Amino acid sequence: MNLLTKMKKPKQTHVPSTNYFDLLSEEIVFSILDFLDDNPLDKKSFSLVCKSFYTTESLHRRALKPLRSEHLTKILHRYPCITNLDLSLCPRIDDSSLTVISNVCKNMLRSIDLSRTKFFTHVGLSNLVLNCVNLVDIDLSNATELKDPAAAAIAEAKNLERLWLRRCKAITDIGIGCVAVGCKKLRLISLKWCLGIGDLGVGLIAVKCKEIRSLDLSYLPLYVKLWTEDLVTYAGLVITMPAVGLEITKNCLLPILELQYLEDLFLEGCFGIDDDSLAALKKGCKSLETLDMSSCQNVSHVGLSSLTSDTACLRQLILAYGSPVTLALADSLQKLSMLQSIKLDGCLVTCPGLKAIGNWCISLRELSLSKCLGVTDEGLSSLVTKHKDLRKLDVTCCRKITHVSIAHITNLCTSLTSLRMESCTLVSRESFVLIGQRCQCLEELDLTDNEIDDEGLKSISRCSKLSNLKLGICLNITDGGLAHIGLCCSQLIELDLYRSAGIMDTGILAIARGCPGLEMVNIAYCTEITDHSLMSLSRCSKLNTLETRGCPLITSLGLAAIAVGCKQLAKLDTKKCYNIDDAGMIPLAHFSQNLRQINLSYSSVTDVGLLSLASISCLQSMTILHLKGLTPSGLAAALLACVGLTKVKLQESFKSLLPRLLFEHLEARGCVFQWRDKVFQIIEMALRSTFYYLQAEVDPIFWKLQLEDVE
Amino acid sequence: MDLKETWKSSSCGNELPKKVPPDQQSFPSLNSQQHQREWEDPSLLNYCTRIDQQFLGFNQRPETPPSAAFNPNSQLKIPDASKTQDWDPRTMLSNLCFLEDKIHQLQDLVHLIVGRRAEVVGRSNEFVPQQQQLITADLTSIIVQLISTAGSLLPSSKHSLPLVNSIVTQLGQLDGGLFPPGSGLNGFVPPHNGVSKVEDQSDQIDPTNVCGPEQNYSVEENESKDEEDADDGENLPPGSYEILQLEKEEILAPHTHFCVICGKGFKRDANLRMHMRGHGDEYKTPAALAKPHKESNSEPMPIKRYSCPYVGCKRNKDHKKFQPLKTILCVKNHYKRTHCDKSYTCSRCNTKKFSVLADLKTHEKHCGRDKWLCSCGTTFSRKDKLFGHIALFQGHTPAIPLDETKGLAGQSDRGEIDESPNKVARIDFNFSPDTSIEGGIHNATNSKGNLDDPAGYFSPLNFDTCNFNGYQEFPRNTFEDSESSFSFLISGSCNYPRKTGGESGSNDPQ
């Protein structure tokens, strides 16, 4: 409601001269406004110019993502043309809120996102669905309390095309059966983690909703061969299984594969699907474009080749954490002529398998071998030989590869836009020079925990399109190398320097100067960093995420600079910045009105600072462990004052120090408490009285040594 | 008459030697044959029944699968005389020591009883017959043990048989004075029960393993239920089979094995084979006595089919389109289902009635279960059937039950009330309220057969339990109908003592 009060000022000072905008038709102004979509603040400024602008902007806005449900009535009246309503930030949406929405929006509303809110019931949903008959999208993910009546209410949304029910664990076959019968136009349905839904419900969806394009059945208890109703431990949870038999198994998968328009099928973690049931079907799905069979441990190349037999237009195949990538598997996928992307994360990979993939006649665009065991230079080199058009390559934690692989990759796949090679520790420093020389289209580069040095950074700075650079735990880089990046990579949006100990203020200064578009910066445990870095980063006006954990030299002064300069700041982590105190909180509270998440653990913030944060109306998540200056009453006041809180991490000790009713009240507002009982680490270290641990905590080199010891 | 009573007691005891090492098992408990006829003297029945019930009260695990002690192999060794001939003096000695121990134990028991009797003069002497019974049983077991030990000295077990019998007869005479007929608890037993008890007795003297045939028996019964319908498709040309027609009384009698010569019915095939011995020497061969194997019956038997005695029934041989019934069990089930009153009412819905107890049990398993409901009002017992229905019809949706949490109320009160006369009798045979409660709980769960040996309840003294395992072979034949395929359910429920009804209900093995 700040907006409304500020509104009055331009109204009073408005000069009654000719308003040129009056000459423009509404459509033209609308199309101008369309270009302001990037930054929400721009539209806000526009609407504050004058009354007509205000009205125009109100009529132009289609999507709304309110932070609170209290003002819903006013907001919705201000924006009468809202079609997309995202309520995922509202801590509490109850039936009355839904009734307000349904009464105000009526037929305008086409999309509503209710994920992460949990106070409404089937009554509110029923109201919504009956009044907003044009609803096309409903997202009810994480509504774990909702039961079959809620699903039955949704079934009344006859125009529904997309429905997300992820983690709606209490909905059963009966509920989803209602949806299947009611929502005939469904094109997308996500039932991931709906543990109450089995073959019968899914089968009915496939039988009744012929328009389905995308079907997510991940982690559903499908196809479990049980003849009687029985208790079965599924994914660690004990659930009641419906009577499911082998015949039904066929009946469930069969109608799914017969869906005429099915494009995306997600069967991640469906342990009940096995080769036998797939082979018995002897049927593929013609229209399928994306298939995710991750973590289907019982499906090998046999079942897969059965499933992909008719699948001519499959573009993306995700087989993460599945059966080993052998020659047989690679051969069985050979005929997929349209395949562009394949993800084999976490699979056991054999050299013949990789070679066979390398011999496919198609050219892959995307390949992920993240955390695959058995990726060697030989396999990887022969794999990339044919796939020269590779755009994205992920070889995270392929610890056996060396310079040889990188030389091959950079030589052949020159159009790489994304290369992720975290923890490829055998890759030598020279390889990174090659990356910079040959792959200049790179936009994303993850070099976390590698041997790259300043020379490599200098070379990589040639990738002028680089937007995402991760240099965490790169102990060989210094300010000199980073300065090259700052000079050349002006498009940089995300920079990760976690525990890269060689980085100091000059490096950050160079980055801040050269990369004005920076949005995310992580300088955690770069212990040499001081306020100067923060001051220089404060010019990056788009900065929304800043992590400065364990930078003991940073003080409130630097934080104040950030608060003033980076108005977009939404996430701030200043854990273990011992010198940050209330003086830093006050400017933050005043300027960072977009702050949503803050971690103040181990800092010197007290009641005053915490209470001042209450003026940030967006603030949703607070982690406030081990604040020495925090008293129970101060905490209580701060918690009550921060009305938008949804998540608070607190020390266990406060649980008994504050009245139970307080927590109950806050929980009813939609706040979730996470209690931590960790020993104050400094004390812990003092108790150990070893310099080594203290050193290890703050010194990245020691930290890495310690890490290697553990390994 | 007294003689018969004690004979019964001793016959209880004569199961005991089976527990001693195999080389001493010279006592073949085949002596029942000689006494078969005498038992049928109705004047004996009440007393026999009484004993039977007494034992049944402590028969905690009637359906326990054969343990090592009941191993059929060891049972089959009993008639094998060759083994008993080479006796070992050391075993004999240990046997005698054992007997000595037992006698001392019994002595202690008698002392105890004497002492207790002095204490509880004012109280009703309802324990007196029990104590007497107890002593009788223990004595009998000792005597039998002695005989069996002595028998091992004899050259052949055949010779020991009459000896045992004569001794047992003498024992009975002695015992008769100790325990006058007509006293005690005869009044508890309704006369009609007595009729069935005759068969029970014959069962208990079953020399072969009771558990073995018993299991077969239940299986048969289960199969036969299906067969009744299945045989419709069978097209035996008339005349190619022999038609047997049992009378109504025979059908309703709780027998399933009938003598082809005299028509007498038995609950167990083993007993029938015992009975057959009386019809001639050809039935006395080991082959005839042994458990018949399906393979051994290779010689072509005349095909037998059965006719329903109900005139006008399609299953009656005089019917124009006569369709014979395959087995006697088919006849029994057919007759009950078609021509008898449906006397079993479902205790849950109170509407469904059945004439065959097994049918009731089957129904009760599903009665009151989740009804899967369609928006059109049709209900289904199975969810997949509902979904099949919905998939088939346009516009039908699954209906959500009003109360999401359907309880399974009314499941606990499923006790068998029609067995109450026996039940009452059994409860009163318990030694004390304490044991009755414990026994009740055991009874309630006994179909699981995982309890400690409950024979300990029989006697306050710590008798070597192996001797009393014999009593467990006394099965639960007090049921009036032959639906023994579910008899484990009944035995579980009809043993419920009233006092512990609540507990036993909750322990209902179903």
Side-chain angles (χ1 to χ4, degrees), chain B residues 123-336:
Chain B
R123 234 188 265 172
S124 74
N125 54 349
E126 56 177 327
F127 296 124
V128 173
Q130 292 168 14
Q131 289 160 352
Q132 286 173 345
Q133 185 57 41
L134 193 68
I135 294 160
T136 313
D138 287 351
L139 265 176
T140 313
S141 100
I142 290 164
I143 292 162
V144 167
Q145 184 83 48
L146 197 64
I147 292 164
S148 110
T149 313
S152 67
L153 293 166
L154 296 171
S156 147
S157 63
K158 272 185 183 173
H159 295 130
S160 72
L161 184 63
L163 179 67
V164 170
N165 284 340
S166 66
I167 293 172
V168 165
T169 316
Q170 285 164 16
L171 175 74
Q173 285 165 342
L174 284 171
D175 192 51
L178 205 116
F179 197 173
S183 74
L185 303 140
N186 294 3
F188 282 108
V189 186
H192 74 272
N193 273 350
V195 181
S196 65
K197 291 306 171 301
V198 181
E199 312 308 331
D200 299 341
Q201 299 306 327
S202 66
D203 288 338
Q204 286 143 20
I205 315 156
D206 188 347
T208 56
N209 187 359
V210 174
C211 297
E214 191 60 33
Q215 283 167 340
N216 294 343
Y217 177 66
S218 348
V219 171
E220 262 174 60
E221 189 111 48
N222 280 336
E223 283 168 354
S224 68
K225 211 174 155 189
D226 299 325
E227 274 169 14
E228 193 191 327
D229 303 319
D231 68 351
D232 285 351
E234 192 190 49
N235 278 320
L236 286 171
S240 68
Y241 49 86
E242 185 184 339
I243 299 173
L244 297 174
Q245 182 170 299
L246 290 108
E247 286 317 302
K248 182 188 164 194
E249 288 73 23
E250 280 181 299
I251 288 171
L252 296 180
H255 314 134
T256 43
H257 304 277
F258 296 91
C259 174
V260 288
I261 294 161
C262 68
K264 182 171 160 47
F266 296 87
K267 277 203 94 167
R268 285 173 184 71
D269 178 57
N271 298 334
L272 170 62
R273 276 179 275 131
M274 290 303 298
H275 161 86
M276 293 306 281
R277 286 164 54 96
H279 286 301
D281 285 339
E282 69 266 35
Y283 298 106
K284 286 179 182 167
T285 59
L289 284 170
K291 203 168 140 188
H293 294 284
K294 278 178 185 170
E295 306 88 54
S296 65
N297 248 342
S298 54
E299 56 196 70
M301 293 279 286
I303 302 170
K304 284 181 190 165
R305 286 297 178 263
Y306 297 87
S307 160
C308 170
Y310 194 90
V311 181
C313 175
K314 203 180 176 185
R315 304 291 195 171
N316 184 265
K317 59 188 173 188
D318 297 332
H319 192 274
K320 252 194 294 182
K321 295 177 180 175
F322 171 56
Q323 285 185 312
L325 291 152
K326 253 186 182 172
T327 65
I328 293 175
L329 277 165
C330 292
V331 178
K332 284 155 88 70
N333 280 339
H334 160 79
Y335 192 83
K336 284 191 198 164

Side-chain angles (χ1 to χ4, degrees), chain A residues 162 166 173 228 445:
Chain A
R162 284 176 291 269
R166 284 175 292 234
D173 282 336
T228 50
L445 185 58

Side-chain angles (χ1 to χ4, degrees), chain B residues 1-2 4-6 8-9 12 44-58 126-134 136-137 175 178-190 193-194 197-198 200-201 204 422 425-426 428-429 458 478:
Chain B
M1 176 168 173
D2 289 350
K4 305 304 174 331
E5 286 162 16
T6 32
K8 173 58 201 142
S9 305
C12 305
L44 304 179
L45 294 177
N46 285 353
Y47 185 51
C48 292
T49 312
R50 186 191 57 73
I51 298 165
D52 180 33
Q53 286 170 346
Q54 160 91 32
F55 292 150
L56 274 170
F58 305 107
E126 56 177 327
F127 296 124
V128 173
Q130 292 168 14
Q131 289 160 352
Q132 286 173 345
Q133 185 57 41
L134 193 68
T136 313
D175 192 51
L178 205 116
F179 197 173
S183 74
L185 303 140
N186 294 3
F188 282 108
V189 186
N193 273 350
K197 291 306 171 301
V198 181
D200 299 341
Q201 299 306 327
Q204 286 143 20
N422 288 339
R426 274 179 212 159
D428 289 347
F429 277 121
F458 184 76
T478 42

